[in-house]
Amino acid sequence: MSTDVRGTPAPGRPLRRRFVAVVAVLALIGALAAIVGSHQGPRLRSVSYSATDLVSRPAQRLILTANQALQRVAPSDVVVSPAAAHTVTSSGNTVAVQFDGPLAYDRTYAVVVRHVRVPGQAATSDLRTTIHTGTTDVLALVPGTNGAHDRIVSRGLATGGTDTVFQGTGITGFARLARSLVVLSDTADGTSSIDIVPLADGRQDPAVPVEHITMPSARGHASALHAADDGASFGFVYADTTTGRSQDVGLYDVDLTGTHMPTAIAADGRPTTGATPMTVRQWAYVPRTESALVRTTDDGLVLVDMSGRTDAARLGSATYVHGFVGAGTTAVVEAGDAIVRLDLTDGDRAALTAPAASTRAQYLGRIVALTGSSYVRLVGDVRADGTIAARLVRVHGERVSDLQVHIPSDASVTAVCPSPNGQFLAITTRTADSSLVSVVDATSGALEASLDGVTLDWCAALPSGADAG
């Protein structure tokens, strides 16, 4: 018996034919896609940025990712509107736009990367996107009245009302960390305490205990509290009063990545347990660093690495430190009759532009740098009773104008502090029976917000000390 199978296909042949057909179709689709892509150019696949960091820190990046590898992008092909200084790098299918300084709050920016193309292809396209920056909240210290607690309150600039973040007695200062507050308080006998208050959802976290910092001596007074931007350390000026008089007055550092014990910054600029601390008239952390600019009691200027990893740098002398410019690599200092921009990287000094109209006043106060070419200065005339009729002048290059800010005639200006991006100013005023913080636009003087209080967290960026205004 035989079976004729010559007319029956082998079982695997139809499957192989279908597989070959599918591969051919996919190859055709890929070829067509390549042809279409070569005519259309690359397309934007994703955008990445932090809305919060863009308004609070310099050197923040916007990352645009294309669907294909790109020919190197020229900086001139990236346009940001409204204009914002930036640098451009590209690699593979990504373009990174790094902004020189913080951007404006609550603003939409359009970003266009023009004429991008795939290597070896002629077709070009534009990558377009918009980003919206974040807003901010401010923290203010509100002294208690009639036996009420002192409060540290929060207010969003885009919203009304305040929320209590922390309350206590004798609060004289505070500094904001990433997820906590450092709170400085005084008792009636002049002894100081420092607490680290954990936060949750913008308020004190009741589930986590407050950490009480062990002070350098049993009795003493602390002042000029500042914290590093990265939240890894904070420092203060301390006077040991255990003998009934002030001694060992100087700068101490608390490393929050280590023991949390205050350590004296010695005269050589290094944290040294048990050392006599470096004497201080003014000091503050240089923005975005672990270094501090210190003006000593003999008017020497020292750049101190609070971590102790590098040697201190001596930067000459100054009779006053007004503050920092932009990202912090430059400080504005007074040296004799001159006001200069001090480059903290190499010690070079350049005269600050001060048109005659900006100095026509009997009282010349603190300078608040906004950008590399503009600043605001507190000036005023002395009244018959010795008080100062204060006003603010804005200097931009050679142009001088009065900032249209209302300062009550019975109020004294205690501080003028810039927002991290230089867009706003906090102006703190005090009368015989009240204190007020006004947040104004740094260009127009328009009022953005006001709240009761004696200081704002923005003011912690300014050098403070025994003779700082």
Side-chain angles (χ1 to χ4, degrees):
M1 177 178 166
S2 65
T3 304
D4 187 356
V5 297
R6 287 177 294 178
T8 304
R13 289 178 183 172
L15 181 60
R16 284 197 295 273
R17 291 194 192 103
R18 286 195 296 271
F19 175 75
V20 171
V22 169
V23 170
V25 170
L26 291 176
L28 179 60
I29 292 172
L32 290 173
I35 293 171
V36 171
S38 68
H39 287 287
Q40 290 185 342
R43 292 290 179 265
L44 184 62
R45 190 173 71 189
S46 64
V47 177
S48 174
Y49 66 96
S50 168
T52 300
D53 289 346
L54 283 176
V55 297
S56 60
R57 300 175 181 275
Q60 294 303 299
R61 298 200 303 171
L62 163 69
I63 305 295
L64 297 93
T65 303
N67 63 343
Q68 301 177 74
L70 304 175
Q71 185 78 17
R72 189 185 70 84
V73 173
S76 59
D77 285 332
V78 176
V79 178
V80 179
S81 181
H86 62 272
T87 56
V88 177
T89 56
S90 61
S91 177
N93 65 337
T94 64
V95 180
V97 182
Q98 180 171 296
F99 297 99
D100 292 0
L103 301 182
Y105 296 115
D106 194 21
R107 184 169 297 180
T108 298
Y109 289 82
V111 180
V112 181
V113 185
R114 303 180 300 184
H115 314 313
V116 295
R117 66 185 180 91
V118 175
Q121 295 183 3
T124 64
S125 61
D126 294 345
L127 306 182
R128 297 177 179 273
T129 190
T130 58
I131 61 175
H132 195 85
T133 59
T135 183
T136 189
D137 65 333
V138 293
L139 298 181
L141 172 58
V142 181
T145 58
N146 300 321
H149 281 117
D150 303 321
R151 296 181 300 135
I152 298 171
V153 303
S154 171
R155 167 168 177 168
L157 291 187
T159 60
T162 60
D163 292 321
T164 297
V165 177
F166 176 76
Q167 57 184 350
T169 57
I171 300 175
T172 60
F174 67 94
R176 191 198 295 238
L177 301 177
R179 290 181 295 276
S180 58
L181 284 179
V182 182
V183 180
L184 171 63
S185 304
D186 281 351
T187 61
D189 61 4
T191 299
S192 298
S193 64
I194 295 177
D195 297 322
I196 300 178
V197 180
L199 302 179
D201 298 324
R203 299 180 181 180
Q204 180 182 359
D205 187 348
V208 181
V210 172
E211 178 182 358
H212 305 290
I213 297 297
T214 301
M215 301 301 282
S217 64
R219 293 178 60 83
H221 182 261
S223 61
L225 174 72
H226 294 284
D229 278 353
D230 64 1
S233 65
F234 66 87
F236 54 92
V237 175
Y238 187 77
D240 181 349
T241 59
T242 52
T243 63
R245 60 185 180 86
S246 294
Q247 58 185 15
D248 292 339
V249 180
L251 184 60
Y252 286 78
D253 169 71
V254 177
D255 182 359
L256 295 175
T257 66
T259 63
H260 291 206
M261 294 292 293
T263 303
I265 301 297
D268 64 0
R270 289 188 175 275
T272 306
T273 301
T276 299
M278 175 183 286
T279 59
V280 175
R281 284 192 187 277
Q282 287 178 272
W283 88 281
Y285 281 94
V286 178
R288 273 69 70 175
T289 75
E290 289 185 90
S291 295
L293 183 62
V294 178
R295 175 177 156 240
T296 61
T297 50
D298 61 357
D299 286 339
L301 278 181
V302 188
L303 189 65
V304 174
D305 181 353
M306 300 288 271
S307 71
R309 286 190 288 268
T310 60
D311 292 336
R314 306 283 170 171
L315 298 173
S317 63
T319 55
Y320 194 79
V321 180
H322 288 269
F324 302 101
V325 181
T329 56
T330 303
V332 176
V333 305
E334 256 179 87
D337 294 332
I339 299 178
V340 299
R341 296 178 186 271
L342 172 66
D343 190 325
L344 300 179
T345 63
D346 56 19
D348 285 351
R349 298 186 177 209
L352 182 78
T353 301
S358 69
T359 58
R360 292 192 189 117
Q362 295 170 291
Y363 170 77
L364 298 176
R366 194 164 210 158
I367 291 170
V368 177
L370 302 175
T371 67
S373 59
S374 64
Y375 62 86
V376 167
R377 187 168 199 180
L378 179 67
V379 301
D381 297 316
V382 181
R383 302 186 184 100
D385 61 359
T387 60
I388 295 173
R391 68 184 192 278
L392 292 171
V393 295
R394 188 176 189 275
V395 179
H396 186 79
E398 294 292 338
R399 298 194 301 274
V400 181
S401 59
D402 282 345
L403 197 65
Q404 300 302 311
V405 175
H406 174 67
I407 300 173
S409 59
D410 62 341
S412 59
V413 178
T414 57
V416 181
C417 315
S419 63
N421 63 359
Q423 183 179 353
F424 298 125
L425 295 172
I427 303 168
T428 63
T429 56
R430 182 174 297 167
T431 64
D433 54 7
S434 66
S435 298
L436 182 70
V437 180
S438 301
V439 177
V440 304
D441 186 282
T443 300
S444 67
L447 182 66
E448 297 289 332
S450 63
L451 60 165
D452 295 332
V454 294
T455 189
L456 211 65
D457 55 329
W458 295 347
C459 299
L462 296 175
S464 62
D467 63 353

